[in-house]
């Protein structure tokens, strides 16, 4: 068996032994959103360490566990703590959790992150709904022998971010009077923040926000036929766009500051996704 698929199936078997829950939405929490789980009706939690063969995160502030529960009536699985490529894992390990949540039954993948704004119309604290992405600066998780059980060799990428889900998020933001920007997310490897020249490159390529996660997860989930949506919390403007040097503390601070609003937006969006029976 393909070793990437074998590892995934081993993790899945391990989860199945411990959890009996079928989520509709799989939610990945970015920086500052770790506390979202406190808002939902939790049924069960599963530490990544309890899953045989599962890659475990090392970033401070990132807890590593799945949370199973309900947002309103909607069954969700939440990833509290994601795995980043810059931690040194092979890219197939980085996307393993997203694939695993699809196997658990999730049809929708809701990605969140903290990101640097490279669009001059953005300000720290803004939310940007992701409409498209650039993932070419990190390896594709689909390189290597295709895993036919997961999806096709050559997959269409016309609408990675589902248009119906985008409309739902737009409406949720409107209902809550939360201003919502839209734009293209570009993933670089990190872990260093970008140089001013790299930020200009991102802008020239058509990106609006830059980060170190998300796009590779969307590639893997799109391959498996999931419906995907995503929101970035713009935690800072890109390096060189202001006089401030960047720090993880600043990213965390802004993300924490707007987290209450971010949580409301996510909750409302998920409730509407359930209502529309996607
Ligand atoms: N660059 C890359 N990733 C980030 C940034 C940034 O400016 N802010 C938060 N995550």
């Amino acid at each position: 068996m393909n070793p990437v698929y074998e590892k995934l199936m081993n993790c899945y078997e391990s989860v199945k032994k411990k959890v009996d829950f079928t989520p509709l939405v799989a939610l990945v929490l970015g920086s500052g959103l770790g506390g979202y789980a406190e808002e939902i009706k939790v049924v069960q939690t599963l530490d990544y360490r309890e899953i045989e063969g599962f890659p475990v995160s090392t970033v401070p502030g990132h807890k590593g566990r799945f949370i199973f529960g309900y947002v309103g009536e909607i069954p969700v699985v939440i990833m509290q703590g994601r795995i980043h490529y810059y931690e040194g894992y092979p890219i197939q390990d980085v996307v393993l959790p997203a694939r695993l949540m699809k196997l658990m039954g999730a049809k929708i993948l809701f990605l969140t992150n903290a990101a640097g704004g490279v669009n001059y119309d953005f300000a720290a604290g803004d939310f940007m709904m992701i409409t498209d992405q650039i993932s070419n600066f990190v390896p594709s998780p689909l390189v290597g022998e295709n895993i036919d059980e997961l999806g096709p060799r050559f997959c269409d990428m016309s609408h990675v971010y589902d248009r119906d889900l985008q409309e739902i998020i737009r409406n949720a933001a409107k209902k809550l009077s939360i201003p919502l920007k839209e734009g293209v997310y570009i993933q670089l490897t990190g872990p260093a923040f970008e140089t001013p020249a790299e930020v200009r490159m991102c802008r020239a390529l058509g990106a609006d926000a830059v980060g170190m996660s998300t796009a590779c997860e969307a590639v893997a989930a799109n391959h498996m036929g999931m419906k995907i949506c995503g929101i970035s919390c713009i935690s800072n403007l890109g390096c060189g766009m202001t006089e401030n040097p960047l720090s993880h503390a600043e990213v965390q601070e802004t993300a924490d500051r707007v987290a209450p609003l971010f949580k409301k937006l996510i909750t409302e969006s998920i409730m509407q996704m359930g209502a529309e029976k996607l």
Side-chain angles (χ1 to χ4, degrees):
M1 198 192 283
N2 178 309
V4 174
Y5 187 57
E6 190 171 0
K7 187 170 189 172
L8 177 66
M9 292 315 285
N10 284 340
C11 288
Y12 178 53
E13 291 302 324
S14 177
V15 169
K16 262 205 314 196
K17 271 185 227 150
K18 297 175 170 131
V19 180
D20 179 22
F21 187 90
T22 306
L24 171 67
V25 179
L27 172 65
V28 182
L29 299 178
S31 296
L33 281 176
Y36 182 73
E38 285 141 35
E39 316 253 316
I40 75 157
K41 195 162 74 190
V42 175
V43 171
Q44 194 177 345
T45 63
L46 182 65
D47 281 7
Y48 297 156
R49 272 175 290 128
E50 295 177 65
I51 305 169
E52 273 164 55
F54 193 94
V56 179
S57 174
T58 56
V59 184
H62 284 264
K63 283 186 201 162
R65 58 180 188 167
F66 287 115
I67 297 163
F68 302 88
Y70 291 88
V71 173
E73 307 276 287
I74 317 304
V76 298
V77 55
I78 297 178
M79 258 184 89
Q80 196 175 33
R82 56 151 57 93
I83 295 150
H84 297 86
Y85 182 59
Y86 60 72
E87 292 175 74
Y89 295 102
I91 198 80
Q92 286 88 356
D93 275 3
V94 176
V95 304
L96 182 144
R99 285 173 163 164
L100 190 54
M101 293 191 293
K102 168 70 162 60
L103 295 181
M104 292 176 196
K107 300 206 164 17
I108 295 171
L109 180 64
F110 197 147
L111 297 163
T112 69
N113 58 52
V118 301
N119 181 329
Y120 271 108
D121 292 336
F122 291 1
D126 279 352
F127 299 122
M128 183 194 88
M129 181 176 74
I130 305 174
T131 54
D132 203 353
Q133 67 177 31
I134 299 170
S135 66
N136 313 74
F137 289 85
V138 291
S140 168
L142 307 183
V143 165
E145 186 191 341
N146 186 55
I147 305 172
D148 296 330
E149 291 86 347
L150 302 186
R153 169 82 292 183
F154 301 104
C155 54
D156 179 50
M157 299 286 281
S158 308
H159 300 289
V160 174
Y161 292 87
D162 185 80
R163 285 170 296 178
D164 296 331
L165 294 180
Q166 288 186 47
E167 194 54 24
I168 284 174
I169 292 172
R170 260 182 221 113
N171 289 334
K174 225 178 274 171
K175 183 171 166 193
L176 297 170
S177 303
I178 297 174
L180 184 67
K181 303 281 205 300
E182 299 189 9
V184 173
Y185 178 92
I186 185 168
Q187 179 178 2
L188 304 188
T189 64
F193 289 117
E194 302 69 40
T195 63
E198 286 161 349
V199 168
R200 288 196 297 276
M201 172 193 77
C202 292
R203 194 161 44 241
L205 291 177
D208 299 286
V210 57
M212 307 174 190
S213 66
T214 301
C216 59
E217 295 159 5
V219 169
N222 181 70
H223 179 237
M224 292 180 83
M226 292 184 91
K227 285 175 184 275
I228 303 164
C229 61
I231 307 177
S232 295
C233 166
I234 305 299
S235 55
N236 55 277
L237 286 184
C239 191
M241 294 170 71
T242 69
E243 291 303 309
N244 307 342
L246 275 184
S247 67
H248 184 63
E250 180 193 349
V251 169
Q252 200 75 44
E253 227 170 78
T254 312
D256 289 346
R257 175 168 59 79
V258 297
L261 220 51
F262 205 172
K263 289 175 188 171
K264 278 191 188 148
L265 179 56
I266 292 166
T267 298
E268 181 61 31
S269 300
I270 291 177
M271 305 264 255
Q272 292 196 18
M273 285 170 198
E276 304 220 354
K277 301 234 179 336
L278 289 163

